Amino acid sequence: MRTHPRRIGLLGGITWHSTLEYERLLHAGVAAALPGRTADLVIRHYEFGAISESQEAGDWDGLADTFGRDARWLVDGGAEAIVICANTMHLIADQVEAAAGVPVIHIVDEVAAAITASGVDTVALLGTGFTMRMPFYRDRLAARGVTALVPDEPDLSELHALIYDKLARGVVDDAGRALARDVTGRLTARGAGGVVAGCTEIPMVMTGDDVDVPYFDALALHAEAAVRFALED
């Protein structure tokens, strides 16, 4: 094991709540392995409103250009790997990696590995409307032998609204918690043997204690992978 952690670049602010949790987990993970040390990070923290507007407009190419350019800036600042602090933005992970010239630690790969290790092969995927409607997340899981079920309407749109209208603004209430549990219950009734918190804000309203099936916290799994990278020789 290294005596000093490798430097990690974070593309964050998507949202700031989850980015702070990434930072906390990275610092705690490094400190646990190397007492007296903390994570070595360089961060590009976005203004979420601008990112949200681009997502809503479908300007994924523009976002890929921005994230790629900023990832390169992080590499110029010494980053040896990039962490995109959001599930949805992994839609452009390949473009970001190509621009950065260093690995992007891919959140879906970490989720898939945890699911496979648990013995589960079908999961409920809770995330933004983009993550649930677009195939990039489900296809990457499927390539690793995992089937992901997404909610039917109106659950899908209601969950998207919960994330953008409440959780992104730090609003956590009983209605949001009830929605997450109810949607999960309907997906497990359809055959899901586990649930993926496939938006970094989902843990704000639902944790493993709230479900009776294996719970896969994408943010926590992603942060664990970043810590492993930071400590590798």
Side-chain angles (χ1 to χ4, degrees), residues 104-153:
V104 167
I105 301 172
H106 203 293
I107 199 167
V108 182
D109 293 346
E110 303 309 319
V111 171
I115 295 169
T116 301
S118 76
V120 172
D121 60 10
T122 303
V123 294
L125 174 60
L126 305 187
T128 68
F130 307 112
T131 296
M132 293 186 291
R133 289 190 177 98
M134 301 171 81
F136 73 98
Y137 208 105
R138 287 177 283 120
D139 284 354
R140 199 168 180 108
L141 288 177
R144 289 152 180 78
V146 177
T147 299
L149 305 180
V150 298
D152 295 324
E153 294 291 1

